[in-house]
Structure formats: C-alpha cells, structure tokens
Amino acid sequence: MQTADVVIIGGGIVGSSIAYHLTEAGCKNILVIERETAQGKGSTGKSMGGVRAQFSTPISIQMSLYSIPFYASFDERLGYPAGYRPQGYLFCATSEKHLAYLRANYQKQVALGLKNVRLITTEEIRGRFPQLRSDDIVGGSFCSTDGFVDPYSAMIGFMTWAADHGATLWKHTEVSGIQRDGKRVTAVETTRGTVATRKVVNAAGPWAAAIAEMAGVDLPVKPLRRMLVPTEPFDQFPHDVPMIIDMSNGFHFRPEALGFLLAWNDPEETPGYKTDFEPSFIEKILTRAADRVPIFENLAVNPKRAWAGLYEMTPDHHPILGEVSELPGFYLANGFSGHGVMHAPATGKILSDLILTGKTNLVDVTLLGPDRFAAGRLIEETAVL
Ligand SMILES: Cc1cc2nc3c(=O)[nH]c(=O)nc-3n(C[C@H](O)[C@H](O)[C@H](O)COP(=O)(O)OP(=O)(O)OC[C@H]3O[C@@H](n4cnc5c(N)ncnc54)[C@H](O)[C@@H]3O)c2cc1C
C-alpha cells in the first residue's frame, strides 16, 4: 500500500501553500490529491486576486501581516512568480458610521504593526481620483502594500517548489473516503487506491464539508456564488489605481489588463453549488459602476468573458484551521469566506507548524478551531467584500 507522512486533499492555492510550507520545513513525504486533471479549477482559478491587510479583527490582520510580505518576496524565495502588484486598497466611506468603522480598524491595524495604512481625506480622494463621484464621500482609508496577486501563478509556484523538493501531486484522483481506527485517521481512499497515513489535511475549498463528512466531522462551510465582470479595454480611467471600494453598496473594482475587473456582492445570492454566470448580474453591476464612476457609463462588457466561482463561507467569516480534537490526525484548512488567496501563505505556515510541532506563533489558533461554533465563540469579520 502507498504511504505518506501527510496527505493533503485539494490542490488549490491553500493545499499548495501547505505543501510548500511543510516541504520547506523539512517534511518531504507529502502527497497532494487533486480530483481535476489540472490545478486551479476550484475557487483559486476564479479569484479576483486581491490581497489586503485592512481588516477588522486581529486574526485577519495578523494573517495578512504574514501573507503580504510573503507575496512581496515570493519570486525571490521560490524562484517562481506570484505577480504581486502593491497598488493598494482604497476604502471610500459615504457616512460617518463608515468613517468611525475605518478609524477603529485603522487603530487596530497600526497597533498590530501595519505600517503603510493611513486615513485619507475626501479632498485627497477627489484630487487623486477626479473621475469618482465624490459628493457623498466623507473620507476613507488607504494601504499602499495592499494590492493584487496572480492566484494561479502563486498556486503553481507553491506546488512546483514543493514538488521540486520531494512532495508528490496526484492529479485526476478523487478522494472517496477517509479511514479511522476509532481513535485517529489511518488512511485515505482514492480512485487510485488507498494511501496509509496518520495525517490528513482537508484543503478542499468549497467542497470541504463533503470531505469532513467522510471523516464523520460536521463542518459549517457553505458554497456561495460570486460573480466577476471584466470590461473591454478602457483608457479613460488610469490603470495604476488601487482596488477602490464604494462602501455605500460594496461595489469595487481594480484594473485588469487593458480594462477593469468589476465586483459586487449581490445580497440576493443564496448558498449552493451554482457556477453559471447569471447574465442579469451585468446590469446590476454596471448601474453601481456608473453611479460611482460616471465615465464608466461608457464601459463595454462582453458577457461571455464574465465568470462565476464559489466563496467558501463560514458563519463568522473566519477560516476554520487546526486539528479536529475528536479525530487526531485530521486537520482543517477551510472556510476562507473570500480571503483564501490573500491568506494562503499564513495558512500554509500555520498548518505546517501545527502538523510538525503541534503549535504556532503566527496567530492564536485556538480561536479558529471548529469547536468555536458549538461553544458560541464566534469572531465576526465585518470587512468582507
Ligand atoms: C469570484 C471570486 C473572487 C475571489 N476574490 C478573492 C480575492 O480577491 N482575494 C482572496 O484572497 N480570495 C478571493 N476569493 C476566494 C479564494 O479564491 C478562495 O478562498 C481560495 O481560492 C480557496 O482556495 P482553496 O485551495 O481552499 O480552494 P480551491 O481552489 O477550490 O481548491 C480546492 C481543490 O480541492 C479539490 N477537491 C475537492 N474535492 C475533492 C476530492 N474529493 N478529491 C480530490 N480533490 C478534491 C478541488 O478540485 C479543488 O481544486 C475569490 C473567490 C471567488 C469565487
């Protein structure tokens, strides 16, 4: 029978980062199992690639404080590109309540060591981005080290480095069962046969609850459709701009190739494995785009280039990380609620620490355990886009 020290289920950016961090720490006999014929067909390949440290809870901020510098030095460390572009995130507040919220977040971010974040006045926003309608903007916050990465490249970089240093990736192989001996995990069943192992990581993205169920674990991670609309080339708005967020309705956009990538969280969306792009979304998002950026009235969009993917949502918008106490050897790296690309480096480090040493200094991981839901210890993240 095939054996591995660690089996990672899912070859998206999270599984790949865990494989990288374990290998980098000296653990070589790692097997990553991916059911698709190529990596990136899950959420990772659908992502907007935004990375930011402007969050509202210490845990989310700390995960970004590890991850963003990691992305900044990714090419140098791994020898593969991650496409990090530090163009910033600009939150535009349209009420005093938003402004107080940004101010409170700013204080937490600075206290935790974030250096490049600052509050910004309406005049400065107006001066830098005269194309924005600013009559209702009352201020904002901006962090220059926030920005974008290329999620596909980063995922391939992590996995290729891990494979170069001893890890194995099985593609086109589906995990169909997890064996336990009553006390702990003993093996993983796949379409290529059974693999004996004492450590299994669930990194199955939006499908994580089904994997957990195979191990008899109840995991509150639900898939939620998220749609993105790329525009045709557009040169009436500069391309060196940050991710710009209109806090009045959550509409946000960033430059992408010669055009822009538009995003908005439709509150009418309901959980489920829906990955078809809904054409009526285009009008909804273009209305919001033109409302904040009047020249966006001239944007051209080809509906065939728009796409949909799945967020992996948890009840408190924080990931579920760590070993399941009732099933030793079964680890979770799930439920990133829209932040799995930006937090993949920190997740890889945390999981590698826990698997190899049983503890981590990166965050207080006890706060992220799966038992927090039953115990009512939720840690709500409100800065979710
Ligand atoms: C439209 C959109 C925009 C987003 N924008 C951002 C953003 O700007 N910034 C950000 O940080 N995050 C963003 N996200 C979220 C981010 O993409 C995800 O959190 C992240 O990609 C999760 O990575 P993952 O590796 O856990 O999951 P995935 O990439 O989904 O990988 C899981 C893998 O597990 C495999 N798998 C599942 N079941 C099995 C099985 N039984 N056997 C074997 N393999 C299996 C799947 O095939 C898949 O490849 C966005 C998501 C979407 C959909």
Side-chain angles (χ1 to χ4, degrees), residues 9-15 33-36 38-51 89 155 173-176 203-207 211 214 224 226-228 243 307-312 333 336-343:
I9 304 171
I13 197 164
V14 169
I33 302 179
E34 169 54 55
R35 72 176 162 201
E36 301 289 346
Q39 287 181 263
K41 294 198 172 180
S43 297
T44 302
K46 306 286 166 50
S47 171
M48 195 174 189
V51 297
Y89 261 59
M155 173 191 70
T173 307
E174 182 156 5
V175 170
S176 50
W207 301 277
I211 297 290
M214 292 176 194
L224 184 68
R226 181 70 177 205
M227 293 184 270
L228 293 179
M243 181 85 78
W307 71 88
L310 299 168
Y311 268 21
E312 335 84 61
F336 294 92
S337 307
H339 311 134
V341 167
M342 65 183 93
H343 286 160

Side-chain angles (χ1 to χ4, degrees), residues 290-362:
D291 178 58
R292 181 53 60 197
V293 191
I295 47 165
F296 275 1
E297 239 173 36
N298 308 322
L299 281 176
V301 163
N302 174 357
K304 290 200 179 120
R305 292 184 54 232
W307 71 88
L310 299 168
Y311 268 21
E312 335 84 61
M313 304 301 289
T314 63
D316 64 1
H317 304 118
H318 277 80
I320 302 173
L321 303 183
E323 192 174 16
V324 176
S325 47
E326 314 86 72
L327 185 58
F330 189 55
Y331 293 82
L332 305 169
N334 306 120
F336 294 92
S337 307
H339 311 134
V341 167
M342 65 183 93
H343 286 160
T347 302
K349 173 71 175 145
I350 292 167
L351 266 290
S352 161
D353 286 350
L354 293 176
I355 289 167
L356 300 178
T357 70
K359 59 182 176 13
T360 183
N361 294 329
L362 207 150

Side-chain angles (χ1 to χ4, degrees), residues 4-8 22 27 29-32 197 199-201 355:
D5 290 344
V6 183
V7 170
I8 300 170
L22 280 169
C27 175
N29 188 10
I30 296 162
L31 175 63
V32 182
T197 184
K199 296 192 173 177
V200 174
V201 184
I355 289 167

Side-chain angles (χ1 to χ4, degrees), residues 11-341:
I13 197 164
V14 169
S16 302
S17 172
I18 298 168
Y20 162 81
H21 280 88
L22 280 169
T23 321
E24 210 264 337
C27 175
K28 307 287 182 203
N29 188 10
I30 296 162
L31 175 63
V32 182
I33 302 179
E34 169 54 55
R35 72 176 162 201
E36 301 289 346
T37 51
Q39 287 181 263
K41 294 198 172 180
S43 297
T44 302
K46 306 286 166 50
S47 171
M48 195 174 189
V51 297
R52 65 180 157 112
Q54 292 187 81
F55 278 102
S56 71
T57 68
I59 290 257
S60 301
I61 298 166
Q62 284 164 328
M63 288 184 74
S64 296
L65 287 175
Y66 177 87
S67 298
I68 295 178
F70 190 101
Y71 277 130
S73 61
F74 194 100
D75 306 22
E76 208 177 301
R77 279 188 201 215
L78 280 78
Y80 297 100
Y84 171 61
R85 284 187 285 157
Q87 291 185 208
Y89 261 59
L90 172 66
F91 285 84
C92 297
T94 55
S95 72
E96 287 305 320
K97 203 171 140 215
H98 294 155
L99 211 49
Y101 174 74
L102 291 180
R103 204 175 292 122
N105 291 350
Y106 163 82
Q107 279 158 1
K108 283 183 230 169
Q109 292 153 12
V110 170
L112 286 165
L114 181 63
K115 297 209 168 39
N116 299 301
V117 63
R118 64 193 176 86
L119 295 169
I120 180 167
T121 63
T122 311
E123 290 65 43
E124 193 179 343
I125 295 174
R126 211 171 269 151
R128 278 187 66 186
F129 309 105
Q131 303 86 346
L132 296 183
R133 180 177 62 76
S134 56
D135 55 340
D136 59 346
I137 294 180
V138 294
S141 75
F142 176 73
C143 180
S144 60
T145 41
D146 289 351
F148 335 119
V149 295
D150 177 341
Y152 183 83
S153 285
M155 173 191 70
I156 295 294
F158 275 134
M159 189 59 82
T160 310
W161 196 99
D164 289 346
H165 293 81
T168 304
L169 168 64
W170 281 359
K171 290 189 262 191
H172 206 187
T173 307
E174 182 156 5
V175 170
S176 50
I178 294 174
Q179 294 178 6
R180 44 192 291 177
D181 67 0
K183 281 197 206 113
R184 60 171 301 127
V185 162
T186 54
V188 172
E189 293 160 13
T190 83
T191 46
R192 272 210 213 185
T194 302
V195 184
T197 184
R198 293 175 65 77
K199 296 192 173 177
V200 174
V201 184
N202 180 356
W207 301 277
I211 297 290
E213 205 182 323
M214 292 176 194
V217 172
D218 183 30
L219 188 69
V221 172
K222 291 204 168 113
L224 184 68
R225 180 169 62 175
R226 181 70 177 205
M227 293 184 270
L228 293 179
V229 177
T231 74
E232 296 295 290
F234 189 78
D235 62 7
Q236 296 168 47
F237 196 94
H239 278 76
D240 58 354
V241 294
M243 181 85 78
I244 298 180
I245 301 109
D246 177 350
M247 291 181 75
S248 73
N249 57 23
F251 167 72
H252 53 289
F253 65 99
R254 70 163 175 85
E256 167 73 12
L258 296 176
F260 288 85
L261 193 54
L262 313 180
W264 176 62
N265 169 22
D266 188 340
E268 286 173 17
E269 193 58 77
T270 52
Y273 289 99
K274 297 176 261 177
T275 48
D276 287 346
F277 182 79
E278 168 54 53
S280 64
F281 182 71
I282 291 190
E283 197 188 328
K284 290 187 190 177
I285 201 163
L286 285 181
T287 307
R288 283 156 181 93
D291 178 58
R292 181 53 60 197
V293 191
I295 47 165
F296 275 1
E297 239 173 36
N298 308 322
L299 281 176
V301 163
N302 174 357
K304 290 200 179 120
R305 292 184 54 232
W307 71 88
L310 299 168
Y311 268 21
E312 335 84 61
M313 304 301 289
T314 63
D316 64 1
H317 304 118
H318 277 80
I320 302 173
L321 303 183
E323 192 174 16
V324 176
S325 47
E326 314 86 72
L327 185 58
F330 189 55
Y331 293 82
L332 305 169
N334 306 120
F336 294 92
S337 307
H339 311 134
V341 167

